Amino acid sequence: MTTALYRRYRPETFAEVIGQDHVTAPLRQALRNGQVNHAYLFSGPRGCGKTSSARILARILNCERNTEANPTDTPCGQCESCRELARGGPGSLDVVEIDAASHGGVDDARELRERATFAPSRDRFKVFILDEAHMVSPQGFNALLKIVEEPPPHVMFIFATTEPDKVIGTIRSRTHHYPFRLVPPDVMLSFLEQVAQAEGVTVGAGVLQLVVRAGAGSVRDSLSVLDQLIAGSGPAGLDYEGAVALLGFTHASLLDDLVDAIAASDGASAFRVVERVISTGHEPRRFVEDLLERLRDLIVIAAAGDAASAALHDVPADQLAHMRTQAVHLGASELSRSADLINAALSEMTGATSPRLHLELLMARLLLPGADDSVAGFSARLDRLERGGIVSTATLTPAPLLPAAMPSDSVVATPAVA
Ligand SMILES: [Zn+2]
């Protein structure tokens, strides 16, 4: 049984906390100045470092080397308290962690108030970390109010919560509030690269980008995903195929084939992709979501040109080169029109009984700007004309392109053609 990555890479100092510089920098400055408040509120999404930071703050406050004469923002790591509060340490008597989700009642709050009146057993402060602080009941908060308003000099409260608005105002106004954020993708990516390297795992191109996407900005979730991928990997390490299948993302090659088909008005290929999506067990809605994301990337590329790589840092270089070609082939108006269509289809697909039908209708619309009388449709047709495209065949003859391309059992047997 191995320890979870998330535990093994839990930060022990503020310097190790990633993606929260806007919080850690001013907090560390305050600590260096010896400006210590008696109550802190750490808010933000789950898994982005609030509880870890609360523990780090407690560790610094009770570090033997941190004195009023010599304030510091980094735990020494050697004194008894620092060692007790290190990763995997036994914990300290003077740092009390309370999970308000299970101990948020008024009796728990009264007991806490009682405990707070006693002096610390060894260290400078008695630190109470209230995790999930929004779960403290209103009566519980009221019981705590007095001690938070007028705390004994040795008492310190750190509230950690995903919902700061649920912490009653009278308590909140006594705290220094530090809002944590989701970790930006590029910061997360380089962190995961470091972890993979430290773990000695070989990682194929594009895999960590998938992990970043799946983790959605939460360090804990991202490391859990990476953990799972590593656990299921062979001696060759992590490869893109395995990761994309396990995480349920659409394989980039499916998106490539579809976008290429749309750019070439190649109905046969487009519907073959739909066939592959269905036959490989992809969820149609997820596929359309991923397609929309791809269109977004292409729009960024079309708009930003060479500068796009900065905005699309999670796209590997060879993939980016291919997407540049796709953006040129489709053109700005067609990209924008397609994104609108895909977005509309995505809303229609929510709760739809036949998502496949919607997916196929979407294909028909994407392939036929000629059937679209809106300004966006005309604009897309103009784009195609300018590129020497085949807009006239799709418009004037009864759509030779599409019916020939349709699988015989398809539900979209007679698409309306303007
Ligand atoms: Zn220390």
Side-chain angles (χ1 to χ4, degrees), residues 51-64:
T51 311
S52 297
S53 295
R55 289 178 186 160
I56 293 168
L57 179 58
R59 197 165 178 240
I60 295 168
L61 291 170
N62 274 351
C63 175
E64 203 181 271

Side-chain angles (χ1 to χ4, degrees), residues 59 62-66 75-83:
R59 197 165 178 240
N62 274 351
C63 175
E64 203 181 271
R65 306 265 175 91
N66 188 14
C76 76
Q78 276 142 34
C79 70
E80 213 167 328
S81 166
C82 275
R83 277 187 282 123

Side-chain angles (χ1 to χ4, degrees), residues 243-316:
V244 86
L246 185 70
L247 299 177
F249 286 121
T250 307
H251 199 294
S253 70
L254 275 177
L255 295 173
D256 276 338
D257 291 354
L258 183 58
V259 173
D260 288 344
I262 294 168
S265 300
D266 178 355
S269 303
F271 280 93
R272 263 201 302 277
V273 172
V274 173
E275 212 39 62
R276 267 161 69 204
V277 168
I278 303 296
S279 66
T280 50
H282 278 82
E283 215 256 301
R285 193 167 189 281
R286 180 65 181 264
F287 174 74
V288 174
E289 244 175 67
D290 289 342
L291 182 60
L292 184 58
E293 197 151 314
R294 165 61 67 90
L295 261 290
R296 191 270 324 262
D297 290 352
L298 292 176
I299 287 171
V300 171
I301 291 171
D306 287 340
S309 54
L312 304 173
H313 35 68
D314 57 342
V315 179

